[in-house]
Amino acid sequence: MRISGETSSATLPDLQRTADAIESSLLNYLDRQWSTPWTPGRLQVGREGMLKLRYRAAAGGMGARCEVEFKRFDNPHPPQPADALLQRLADGPNLRSGTPEGEAAWLRELFAELMRRIGRLHADRSAINHFDFSLYVWLDIQLGGQLQFSGRRMLIDEAARLALLAKQQAFAGTDLADDPEPLRTLSCFAGNLFDDLLAPIDYAALHSRLYFVDLLVGDDPVWEERWQSSFNSAAKTWLRRWLGHWFAVTGMGRELRNYQRREDSVTVPGQEAACAMLLFERLLKKADAYDREQLQLYLQLLAQLGIAAAAQLLQQGSGGLPPHLQRLEAGWGTVCANDIRAEIAIELYDDNPEGFAGALQQLLAIIEGGFPRNYQLVYTSRARSLLPVAGLAESGTHHFFADALRFAELHPLLDRYARTAMFEYAWYTDGEPGGQELMPSSYAVFGLALASPAAARLLARYCALVDGGHQPATTPFLLALVRRYGLAEATLPMLVDVALTACYISDLPEQLAQYLQPGDRERLEAELARRELEDYELEQVRYAFFGRAGVAA
């Protein structure tokens, strides 16, 4: 056989003996990997759905020296839409450019022979009982260190598929109380619901089965938790794969600009659109802050596909908020809340305390009414103030609170808002990723702390909750506090609280140096002595104010 870079050809090795060697290696590998007996669950055929084989031959020829590698994949199916994947597989194996005709034919024949053998093993449950009814096989052949051939094929054990489908459909009349492994059954049922290779998704069947399982899990918190976890995972995977039919991902992150409509995409079938909206609405009910951000992106994509229900949700919200929280009109302005977009629009007609007080009271009522923890304000007003903290996003949320902070009579109301809004691992959503993320309440807390030392207790509570490692703005806030107060004994506890949450502080000592006074180091050490801090915390605080010299001392 010719190897890349050589001009002569060697005799092709015997195809059957080569296939025998690879099959033998495969069986030996599976015997080692699956030496522990395993029994499929009630709604399960197997637990492995993907197998990768790599055949490598030395430069002396196909049969000179070879080894076979196998890789198991825990995911039941590749992460592409099923029909797109099968279309790609139907295109056949890929050959390296310039492969001679005889060698190419031999490689194709070897691939076909191996697929026949693996197909027989796949269908023989006594030989391999760990594989699912669908098995994605990936074969790469390397010659002389270079990939010469890459073939893919999806194998379907039709008998196993039909048997599993019958069990899945029959499950809708069974009581979990008689099931020896109810949690495993619930997980498998959720995965099977969204397996396009098992059966195409159907709205009526999906709706009835979801309703049935909701009743089946009843009031059992363990069953409920497992069902919700399994359903959420399977449904989000299906939505992501399904959206891949119409959108190509062009960048990283959860921004709409990273999704490009495919030119060859067609009109969305009504059945599939209905299923997508059903899943979205169910996922939204149980979504945490992280999932809501992803689901909001999915809803925007669904709206771009012309699905009217998606566009309506984006425009009007879910309807879960009471009418008086969805929209408030008053003489001072309007406040409108959309829980789907996680957005609160505030328009003030005049720049006076009355308008800000009314908006803050409505904002508090909305948050206390169960509004998403991750949100932003869309603010319209004549004023456009900013806090004296470098690097903060010049956003509507920032402008609103900076404007409100100008009125001292509003500070108690801002304190109440801050205590209500702060929530660990939640964020305002109008800051740029990578530096401008802020926990809700941050603008109010920053402004109140800079206005008066009376905010020390509020600031301490804030610092106990904030995820400092993912909020770089805490560091310039510390700089603003030192600029405002210095290291005075009365305000030093506030500064230490913030320093303990600061990140990216390598340049901070140089920035703070001009504001430090004689005796500051001694006052800092006295404050640290009053606290029970770990060594690494002491080091962080000392470095923040005095750099390496402070740590060494």
Side-chain angles (χ1 to χ4, degrees):
M1 167 169 282
R2 187 183 72 86
I3 302 300
S4 177
E6 299 181 0
T7 57
S8 61
S9 296
T11 302
L12 293 171
D14 183 81
L15 186 141
Q16 292 299 323
R17 283 191 297 176
T18 303
D20 288 343
I22 295 177
E23 181 181 4
S24 175
S25 297
L26 170 60
L27 291 173
N28 288 336
Y29 170 84
L30 296 178
D31 285 342
R32 294 194 305 272
Q33 291 293 318
W34 297 337
S35 57
T36 303
W38 177 82
T39 303
R42 175 177 167 190
L43 296 178
Q44 191 177 26
V45 173
R47 60 180 178 179
E48 307 291 352
M50 196 170 186
L51 177 68
K52 183 173 182 178
L53 299 85
R54 182 178 293 112
Y55 180 99
R56 298 198 292 190
M62 177 70 79
R65 183 176 63 83
C66 67
E67 59 183 86
V68 182
E69 299 178 359
F70 302 96
K71 184 174 182 180
R72 267 180 27 194
F73 293 80
D74 292 332
N75 295 329
H77 299 300
Q80 297 102 326
D83 60 347
L85 173 65
L86 292 173
Q87 178 60 47
R88 184 168 63 81
L89 296 178
D91 294 338
N94 300 314
L95 291 167
R96 185 175 180 275
S97 177
T99 304
E101 183 177 345
E103 181 180 326
W106 190 92
L107 289 168
R108 289 194 182 96
E109 191 175 348
L110 175 63
F111 177 72
E113 175 63 21
L114 286 172
M115 292 306 103
R116 284 193 292 270
R117 294 180 182 220
I118 294 175
R120 287 196 299 269
L121 291 172
H122 180 221
D124 182 4
R125 293 289 145 187
S126 63
I128 302 178
N129 74 333
H130 286 63
F131 284 137
D132 203 354
F133 72 89
S134 59
L135 178 62
Y136 178 49
V137 182
W138 179 342
L139 171 65
D140 284 348
I141 297 179
Q142 294 180 0
L143 305 177
Q146 294 198 25
L147 182 66
Q148 296 287 113
F149 176 93
S150 186
R152 315 283 190 272
R153 183 163 295 176
M154 181 69 79
L155 302 177
I156 303 292
D157 182 347
E158 186 63 13
R161 185 190 73 82
L162 292 174
L164 177 61
L165 183 59
K167 292 179 182 178
Q168 177 81 0
Q169 294 170 340
F171 179 66
T174 309
D175 191 338
L176 280 176
D178 298 327
D179 195 316
E181 296 181 291
L183 300 183
R184 185 181 185 185
T185 298
L186 285 170
S187 295
C188 293
F189 181 78
N192 293 339
L193 274 178
F194 303 102
D195 190 341
D196 296 318
L197 298 178
L198 179 62
I201 195 166
D202 174 82
Y203 175 81
L206 180 63
H207 187 276
S208 64
R209 287 173 185 166
L210 292 177
Y211 176 75
F212 156 73
V213 176
D214 287 341
L215 294 177
L216 194 61
V217 297
D219 298 325
D220 190 308
V222 177
W223 289 0
E224 169 69 14
E225 181 181 1
R226 173 59 64 90
W227 165 242
Q228 288 300 333
S229 174
S230 301
F231 168 79
N232 289 355
S233 176
K236 284 187 290 187
T237 299
W238 184 88
L239 270 175
R240 185 169 58 251
R241 287 202 319 257
W242 182 79
L243 286 168
H245 289 289
W246 288 276
F247 295 95
V249 180
T250 59
M252 299 293 290
R254 296 182 171 188
E255 290 78 31
L256 193 61
R257 64 175 180 267
N258 293 328
Y259 290 78
Q260 184 68 39
R261 182 73 182 266
R262 296 185 187 276
E263 295 181 0
D264 58 348
S265 60
V266 296
T267 303
V268 181
Q271 180 83 212
E272 295 182 13
C275 288
M277 288 305 303
L278 173 63
L279 297 183
F280 172 84
E281 291 171 1
R282 286 184 62 95
L283 287 169
L284 187 65
K285 291 179 181 179
K286 300 289 185 178
D288 57 20
Y290 180 83
D291 283 339
R292 274 186 171 271
E293 185 180 350
Q294 183 71 68
L295 290 172
Q296 184 178 342
L297 170 62
Y298 288 167
L299 189 64
Q300 291 173 303
L301 296 175
L302 292 171
Q304 284 192 13
L305 293 175
I307 300 176
Q312 183 176 353
L313 283 174
L314 284 172
Q315 183 66 30
Q316 301 177 9
S318 69
L321 288 174
H324 71 280
L325 296 182
Q326 291 184 45
R327 183 175 181 85
L328 172 67
E329 295 188 24
W332 45 261
T334 62
V335 179
C336 300
N338 186 309
D339 59 340
I340 292 295
R341 293 203 305 268
E343 184 178 280
I344 302 172
I346 299 175
E347 181 178 5
L348 299 181
Y349 302 147
D350 297 301
D351 183 24
N352 58 47
E354 179 189 2
F356 285 102
L360 280 167
Q361 288 167 348
Q362 180 69 359
L363 183 57
L364 268 167
I366 292 170
I367 294 171
E368 291 170 342
F371 199 72
R373 292 290 184 178
N374 288 17
Y375 61 94
Q376 65 173 311
L377 305 186
V378 178
Y379 173 53
T380 305
S381 176
R382 298 175 184 176
R384 273 292 188 266
S385 304
L386 292 171
L387 295 176
V389 178
L392 299 183
E394 295 189 20
S395 63
T397 309
H398 184 179
H399 287 306
F400 173 78
F401 287 106
D403 287 346
L405 283 157
R406 293 174 298 144
F407 303 101
E409 61 266 42
L410 296 180
H411 286 191
L413 188 54
L414 285 162
D415 182 285
R416 182 184 160 201
Y417 160 79
R419 293 177 185 276
T420 303
M422 62 177 66
F423 195 81
E424 190 174 20
Y425 306 129
W427 309 94
Y428 288 132
T429 58
D430 52 1
E432 287 294 324
Q436 294 185 332
E437 301 93 339
L438 287 175
M439 182 173 75
S441 78
S442 293
Y443 296 113
V445 171
F446 290 1
L448 292 171
L450 289 168
S452 169
R457 293 180 65 182
L458 172 67
L459 182 59
R461 178 175 176 177
Y462 174 88
C463 290
L465 286 177
V466 71
D467 181 10
H470 294 91
Q471 183 169 300
T474 309
T475 300
F477 171 52
L478 177 58
L479 176 59
L481 284 173
V482 174
R483 192 164 50 234
R484 170 76 169 83
Y485 299 114
L487 267 65
E489 185 174 351
T491 53
L492 196 51
M494 297 169 60
L495 304 184
V496 172
D497 287 339
V498 177
L500 286 168
T501 69
C503 59
Y504 307 114
I505 61 174
S506 58
D507 298 329
L508 189 59
E510 183 179 349
Q511 296 169 331
L512 293 179
Q514 59 182 309
Y515 304 107
L516 301 182
Q517 301 294 328
D520 282 349
R521 185 174 298 180
E522 289 74 17
R523 281 189 288 275
L524 176 63
E525 290 301 323
E527 172 62 26
L528 294 179
R530 287 191 286 269
R531 300 185 179 223
E532 295 182 0
L533 298 176
E534 300 290 341
D535 289 345
Y536 75 89
E537 293 175 315
L538 294 170
E539 183 176 334
Q540 164 144 335
V541 174
R542 288 166 177 153
Y543 183 91
F545 292 106
F546 298 105
R548 295 189 182 279
V551 174

